[in-house]
Amino acid sequence: MSRVRAIYPGSFDPLTNGHLDLIERGSKIFGELVVAILRNSEKNPLFTVEERLEMLRHETSRFGNVQVSTFDGLLVEFCRLQQAQAVLRGIRAISDYEYELQMALMNRRLEPGIETVFMMPAETYSYVSSRLVKEVFRLGGNVTGLIPQHVEERLRKRFAEVAV
């Protein structure tokens, strides 16, 4: 197994099976994988950072080399603090690639020693995004199989709270 420590950053609001697919596969490639929730005050998340931490820890506890953390500010600064050598990013479509390429090149400019590794999710999840899951669920659609059952239960509870 590699001794490379990687960071898998994201909002994970909510965590999807596509995220879990990348976490599982990334845990086999990297010696250590830190799943890092970005604390972004500009976004209006459905779940708090603490709730997302709990959901991620619940779903990743089976992986011995995966940790869950949070960060704010520049990703490369968090990578330095974590002594990480790589960033793991998922790419579902060409539109993701264009954005991710820009970010990877900027990160390389800021910190040349950190590599970005792109992975495609399993075909089953290639169209799944947190935004789409929230939208479909909000409109009454079925998201079973797109998100972990534990997360789906949390979504039901959250939307029930909002409806009251």
Side-chain angles (χ1 to χ4, degrees):
M1 167 131 354
S2 167
R3 296 210 183 267
V4 173
R5 182 178 189 132
I7 307 296
Y8 178 31
S11 62
F12 307 102
D13 185 42
L15 174 67
T16 70
N17 286 339
H19 294 132
L20 285 176
D21 174 59
L22 290 183
I23 291 167
E24 181 174 3
R25 290 171 43 226
S27 75
K28 295 174 184 173
I29 294 171
F30 300 108
E32 294 179 73
L33 182 62
V34 178
V35 181
I37 300 169
L38 173 62
R39 292 180 179 270
N40 187 344
S41 61
E42 293 181 16
K43 284 191 173 182
N44 186 20
L46 180 62
F47 293 105
T48 67
V49 170
E50 292 71 25
E51 289 171 316
R52 288 178 274 159
L53 272 169
E54 187 277 322
M55 287 185 270
L56 268 163
R57 286 182 177 139
H58 177 82
E59 296 297 334
T60 62
S61 62
R62 64 183 177 209
F63 305 114
N65 64 336
V66 173
Q67 302 167 27
V68 181
S69 188
T70 64
F71 76 102
D72 51 20
L74 290 174
L75 174 59
V76 292
E77 290 298 325
F78 182 70
C79 289
R80 283 186 201 127
L81 288 171
Q82 292 288 315
Q83 299 178 327
Q85 298 83 29
V87 172
L88 173 62
R89 295 298 294 161
I91 294 184
R92 296 168 301 213
I94 296 296
S95 57
D96 285 350
Y97 177 75
E98 292 172 357
Y99 171 78
E100 293 296 342
L101 177 63
Q102 284 183 314
M103 295 301 293
L105 292 174
M106 180 56 76
N107 287 338
R108 182 185 293 165
R109 182 181 181 283
L110 295 171
E111 182 51 66
I114 297 173
E115 293 293 337
T116 300
V117 176
F118 297 121
M119 289 181 72
M120 296 181 307
E123 297 82 18
T124 309
Y125 308 119
S126 62
Y127 63 93
V128 178
S129 70
S130 295
R131 179 195 54 76
L132 190 57
V133 165
K134 285 187 284 194
E135 186 175 328
V136 168
F137 190 87
R138 187 176 290 128
L139 295 172
N142 184 356
V143 295
T144 301
L146 303 179
I147 57 178
Q149 183 178 350
H150 177 245
V151 174
E152 188 172 351
E153 291 165 6
R154 297 292 283 277
L155 267 177
R156 287 187 202 295
K157 183 177 178 188
R158 177 56 38 94
F159 279 100
E161 291 169 359
V162 172
V164 172

